[in-house]
Amino acid sequence: MNNMVNVNPQNLQQVLGETSQQKLVLLSFYSAQSPECQSQAAILEKIASQYGEHLLVATLDCDIEQQLAAQLAQQIGLQTLPTLVFLKDSAPVDMLAGAQTEQQVRDVLAKHLPAQHELLLEQAKQALIAQDLNSAFNYAKQAYELDTTNARIKLVLADICIQIHKLDDAQALLASVAENERDAYFTNIQAKCEQALLAQESPEIKALQSQVEKYPNDLEIQAELADALNQAGRKEEALELLFNILKKDLNFAQAKPTFLEVIASLPDGDSLAAKYRRKLYSILY
């Protein structure tokens, strides 16, 4: 993890000086002989993974760096292990002495760092720029769960939902944005949603649906319709059609690979993916 470091005499000035000019540094006085230190180290590792570029967790192992630990302990008035010192611009801005719960550490971080939903929203935006839609959706969804009233989070999540063809979710998010918060970004996302909805009723899909009704036993036409539905974002309908094909002929053309590809295109943890995986297993085993 690139935002965790062990402090020693060689990097002390860089960590507590230069780095603390750019981000919050959480200096942890640690001893492997202390069960409380070990428990707190696990908490700090978890927190470090969530704050990325905004936080550096710097651990000073008091058993290994005894001289350095004694010097710093005297400067800050250290009396117990573990102790956490929060530094910004080369100066302590907070301190927690003794074993702390995860919430106690987060409460102090909240005073000096952006709110968790803001960090998640920024991560969602970066993932969206990188076209990592799965990560973008998960970050934005977590941000929304933390703050369901934030219009900017709603719009970013709606934008992602459109791109992964969760149009019902996108419409619900757009509808929940208050009138006085419907800015140019809202108008842009709304237009995207309307275009995506129109694409779901394309002439190609309508023609294929007519063909399926006319030739209900033609699996080739059904497979073509499933592909068109998938491309238009109507993934549940595509999966249901492919599943019906597989029930009739488990080895029909590319039905099984396509079925699995549609499932793989859904976000991690999507209930639709879980539903159709179970349905597939029911005919495989």
Side-chain angles (χ1 to χ4, degrees), residues 1-272:
M1 197 177 298
N2 59 10
N3 66 331
M4 296 191 73
V5 65
N6 291 319
V7 177
N8 55 52
Q10 290 72 43
N11 67 6
L12 177 68
Q13 183 56 45
Q14 179 184 359
V15 172
L16 303 191
E18 296 172 22
T19 303
S20 74
Q21 301 286 334
Q22 304 161 4
K23 63 181 71 177
L24 185 69
V25 173
L26 195 168
L27 176 61
S28 171
F29 287 83
Y30 169 88
S31 170
Q33 301 177 54
S34 163
E36 291 85 0
C37 284
Q38 293 184 31
S39 298
Q40 191 157 276
I43 291 173
L44 298 183
E45 183 175 358
K46 177 183 177 182
I47 289 173
S49 70
Q50 297 172 345
Y51 280 94
E53 297 297 319
H54 298 268
L55 175 70
L56 176 70
V57 174
T59 300
L60 177 58
D61 191 319
C62 299
D63 300 326
I64 297 174
E65 304 292 349
Q66 295 183 15
Q67 185 174 349
L68 179 59
Q71 176 187 338
L72 292 177
Q74 186 175 13
Q75 291 177 8
I76 67 169
L78 179 72
Q79 296 182 338
T80 185
L81 290 176
T83 288
L84 303 178
V85 181
F86 302 79
L87 300 107
K88 188 69 177 172
D89 296 326
S90 305
V93 292
D94 246 312
M95 185 167 74
L96 290 172
Q100 307 293 320
T101 65
E102 180 178 339
Q103 190 57 52
Q104 287 173 313
V105 177
R106 289 187 183 278
D107 287 344
V108 174
L109 289 174
K111 296 191 294 184
H112 306 289
L113 291 174
Q116 187 66 23
H117 68 269
E118 293 174 353
L119 294 172
L120 287 164
L121 179 61
E122 184 58 35
Q123 288 176 298
K125 289 178 180 178
Q126 293 304 315
L128 191 55
I129 291 170
Q131 283 299 298
D132 182 357
L133 296 179
N134 186 55
S135 295
F137 175 76
N138 287 326
Y139 287 136
K141 187 180 178 196
Q142 290 177 60
Y144 178 69
E145 288 168 351
L146 289 172
D147 186 354
T148 58
T149 64
N150 188 301
R152 190 57 45 173
I153 293 174
K154 290 179 183 179
L155 293 176
V156 171
L157 181 54
D159 191 1
I160 297 165
C161 283
I162 292 166
Q163 296 190 51
I164 61 175
H165 303 297
K166 295 175 76 70
L167 298 186
D168 288 344
D169 290 347
Q171 286 181 289
L173 287 162
L174 288 167
S176 71
V177 176
E179 289 286 345
N180 64 340
E181 294 182 301
R182 297 186 175 187
D183 56 10
Y185 184 39
F186 172 89
T187 303
N188 176 263
I189 301 303
Q190 187 177 51
K192 279 187 183 181
C193 190
E194 289 171 356
Q195 285 183 329
L197 287 166
L198 286 172
Q200 289 194 331
E201 299 296 338
S202 69
E204 178 193 4
I205 289 175
K206 290 179 179 178
L208 286 168
Q209 287 172 329
S210 296
Q211 289 291 303
V212 167
E213 289 177 10
K214 188 174 181 180
Y215 305 105
N217 297 317
D218 191 323
L219 300 186
E220 187 65 42
I221 298 175
Q222 291 181 39
E224 287 182 38
L225 175 56
D227 184 60
L229 290 169
N230 179 44
Q231 294 301 318
R234 295 165 65 173
K235 293 184 180 289
E236 184 166 11
E237 292 171 85
L239 285 168
E240 186 62 28
L241 198 51
L242 288 165
F243 178 68
N244 288 331
I245 293 171
L246 291 171
K247 281 198 300 183
K248 294 173 183 175
D249 184 351
L250 191 57
N251 298 307
F252 179 79
Q254 292 297 306
K256 191 193 299 181
T258 303
F259 185 91
L260 294 172
E261 285 171 13
V262 177
I263 288 177
S265 72
L266 295 166
D268 290 343
D270 192 284
S271 59
L272 192 61

